[in-house]
Amino acid sequence: MDTTKIEKDGVSPLKSEFQRIAAIKSKKDIQNEIAHLQLVGPSPLFDVGSGQDEKNTETVIAQLYQGGIGLPDRDYYISDDNRSKEIRKEYVKHIAKMFRLLGDDADKAGAESKTVMNIETQLAKASMTRLERRDPHKTYNKMSLKNLQRLSHNIDWADYFKNIGLENVGDINVGQPHFFKEISKMIKTVGVDDWKTYLRWNLINRSANYLSTDFVKEDFAFYGAFLSGQ
């Protein structure tokens, strides 16, 4: 509510979080930072939570679902109609503007926006459609930690759950197995610097509404005015 202080602080309240991302040196660090960000607010790469076991109403189990994209649905990244193309074009511009607000120069911000778009497009292509997600049988894939590790082997899932405070995992429902197989490949093939750019974007995109007016206005200009017609 202290808007004067918010304007004065700008992006400085996130300084320590950006320093954490800047210090990343390995794929292991990337996985640790994904877990950390999921605890403090942003949800990069995928969504995690708890929910009722759909075949056993007496238990609540861990739930993993596809995610990690900044546009509302996978189809925005894939559809070939003119409106979708326009949205993708404006989204890349918006990402670049947000990186400029963080202090990056125009060339760097432009390259970063393309990096983010490439990663999110890969995530979108591996995601289920809305129609597929309406099928409760397709999104119910309960498995053990061992089987999750076998499915998505480039991610250290035991370490991940430990980092989010869930050491005794028990059963896990993996809503979209193909998606988690794909992000396992991406952890290996996408470079560390590209992941750092993606994580910076997730942090600023999730936090924009709580920062100074320049961030709030740019966030609204894309998500509110352009995308939603507000």
Side-chain angles (χ1 to χ4, degrees):
M1 298 298 289
D2 188 347
T3 55
T4 301
K5 186 176 187 303
I6 290 172
E7 295 305 316
K8 181 180 177 181
D9 288 348
V11 77
S12 62
L14 294 177
K15 183 179 179 181
S16 63
E17 295 296 339
F18 283 118
Q19 287 174 337
R20 283 182 59 102
I21 295 172
I24 289 172
K25 291 182 172 60
S26 66
K27 296 296 180 74
K28 178 72 171 176
D29 293 341
I30 293 291
Q31 295 180 47
N32 291 341
E33 184 62 17
I34 287 170
H36 170 73
L37 288 176
Q38 289 178 346
L39 282 177
V40 300
S43 189
L45 204 56
F46 60 90
D47 293 331
V48 61
S50 60
Q52 193 173 63
D53 185 335
E54 293 183 0
K55 293 188 178 181
N56 183 356
T57 58
E58 295 183 354
T59 61
V60 172
I61 61 174
Q63 306 274 349
L64 296 178
Y65 286 99
Q66 65 188 39
I69 57 176
L71 292 174
D73 187 71
R74 68 178 294 278
D75 288 353
Y76 287 91
Y77 296 85
I78 298 169
S79 296
D80 204 35
D81 59 277
N82 290 334
R83 175 60 175 165
S84 296
K85 290 178 181 178
E86 181 186 17
I87 288 172
R88 289 195 289 271
K89 182 179 178 180
E90 292 302 315
Y91 182 52
V92 169
K93 290 180 182 178
H94 166 64
I95 296 171
K97 289 177 182 177
M98 294 292 272
F99 279 121
R100 289 294 305 276
L101 291 176
L102 288 179
D104 299 345
D105 63 43
D107 289 342
K108 183 179 180 183
E112 289 171 325
S113 66
K114 292 176 183 177
T115 294
V116 170
M117 190 61 175
N118 287 339
I119 290 175
E120 291 190 0
T121 300
Q122 283 186 261
L123 295 173
K125 288 180 177 179
S127 300
M128 279 187 181
T129 66
R130 289 188 181 188
L131 181 61
E132 288 171 328
R133 297 200 310 271
R134 293 192 188 108
D135 185 338
H137 300 288
K138 286 185 178 180
T139 57
Y140 184 82
N141 304 281
K142 189 168 73 171
M143 62 185 70
S144 65
L145 178 60
K146 182 179 180 180
N147 287 339
L148 172 60
Q149 189 64 59
R150 187 179 294 115
L151 171 75
S152 187
H153 59 274
N154 289 318
I155 298 174
D156 186 338
W157 287 103
D159 195 52
Y160 166 79
F161 283 113
K162 181 180 178 181
N163 285 336
I164 66 168
L166 187 62
E167 293 193 42
N168 299 315
V169 185
D171 290 326
I172 307 155
N173 182 51
V174 181
Q176 295 81 25
H178 174 70
F179 179 86
F180 285 88
K181 186 181 293 186
E182 186 63 26
I183 64 172
S184 174
K185 295 177 185 176
M186 290 175 65
I187 285 290
K188 186 175 182 179
T189 58
V190 175
V192 170
D193 287 342
D194 287 352
W195 280 123
K196 290 166 73 171
T197 296
Y198 171 75
L199 294 175
R200 286 180 74 219
W201 164 243
N202 273 260
L203 179 58
I204 196 63
N205 191 33
R206 179 63 181 264
S207 307
N209 280 329
Y210 304 99
L211 300 174
S212 50
T213 302
D214 48 357
F215 288 98
V216 174
K217 284 186 174 180
E218 176 54 37
D219 184 75
F220 179 80
F222 178 74
Y223 285 107
F226 173 75
L227 196 59
S228 304
Q230 296 177 28

